[in-house]
């Protein structure tokens, strides 16, 4: 919540850099579950699409199979979980979110009754890089479900804006 609306310089927006070598090799596998050139090409998104559109059981999706494999080795994956039970329980939560959005449409945290000022961090959030590129930060589940349900527009919040971008646009 402390990042909401901040302006920062330096190289934080250079996300094409390789994952730090200081991470264990297994940790690269976790990043690869979510990273792709395009959001819709990620293992995460494709697995949700398979589950919801093709009715593939969670346990048979590439994403959840990989998460369960990591849990077997006591490595964190989805939401940092290291237990099979927590991973499968989270699948149920995602099913519930999908059904709620399908039945009631996309609702913001405020529309869901969450009035805390920091609840915006639970929305779909992006950062704005030095060249104005939108960099995905948070809200993977809501973004994927909205794409799968072909919802044309959803609200997106901006967390951090790059100082160079702000200068280019005369905002800083």
């Amino acid at each position: 919540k402390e990042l909401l609306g901040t302006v920062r310089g330096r190289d934080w927006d250079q996300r094409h850099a390789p994952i730090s070598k200081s991470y264990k090799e297994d940790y690269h596998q976790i990043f690869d579950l979510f990273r792709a050139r395009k959001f819709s090409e990620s293992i995460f998104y494709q697995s949700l699409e398979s589950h919801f559109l093709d009715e593939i059981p969670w346990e048979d999706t590439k994403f959840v199979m990989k998460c369960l494999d990591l849990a077997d080795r006591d490595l964190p994956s989805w939401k940092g979980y290291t237990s099979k039970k927590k991973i499968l329980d989270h699948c149920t939560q995602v099913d519930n979110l999908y059904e709620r959005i399908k039945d009631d449409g996309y609702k913001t945290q405020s529309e869901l009754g969450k009035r805390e000022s920091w609840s915006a961090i639970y929305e779909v959030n992006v950062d704005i890089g030095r060249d104005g590129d939108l960099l995905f930060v948070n809200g993977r589940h809501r973004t994927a479900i909205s794409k799968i349900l072909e919802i044309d527009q959803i609200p997106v919040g901006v967390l951090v804006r790059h100082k160079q971008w702000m200068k280019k646009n005369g905002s800083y």
Side-chain angles (χ1 to χ4, degrees), residues 1 4 79 97 100-101 105-127 135-144 146 153-159:
K1 66 185 174 187
L4 193 58
K79 297 287 187 180
L97 178 62
R100 189 171 69 235
I101 292 173
Y106 187 98
K107 303 279 188 218
T108 65
Q109 297 300 306
S110 177
E111 291 170 324
L112 292 171
K114 297 181 177 145
R115 303 284 181 221
E116 300 86 359
S117 61
W118 52 265
S119 65
I121 65 169
Y122 295 109
E123 299 292 355
V124 176
N125 291 299
V126 297
D127 290 337
L135 308 170
F136 186 82
V137 175
N138 191 31
R140 234 175 226 96
H141 299 87
R142 292 171 170 274
T143 300
S146 296
Q153 295 181 353
I154 60 172
V156 175
V158 175
L159 289 182

Side-chain angles (χ1 to χ4, degrees), residues 14-76:
Q14 302 301 297
R15 296 184 179 184
H16 60 276
I19 299 166
S20 169
K21 298 244 188 239
S22 64
Y23 287 112
K24 289 193 223 174
E25 187 57 37
D26 289 330
Y27 208 68
H28 289 259
Q29 296 175 50
I30 299 164
F31 280 104
D32 290 342
L33 291 171
F34 300 101
R35 291 192 335 168
R37 191 174 52 80
K38 291 174 59 178
F39 182 80
S40 59
E41 294 172 355
S42 68
I43 293 170
F44 173 81
Y45 177 79
Q46 291 177 351
S47 292
L48 267 69
E49 192 176 52
S50 294
H51 175 71
F52 291 119
L53 295 182
D54 301 330
E55 300 180 7
I56 304 297
W58 280 115
E59 295 88 344
D60 295 335
T61 65
K62 188 174 182 181
F63 179 79
V64 172
M65 286 191 307
K66 186 66 177 171
C67 290
L68 294 173
D69 176 59
L70 290 165
D72 278 342
R73 295 184 279 144
D74 201 33
L75 292 168

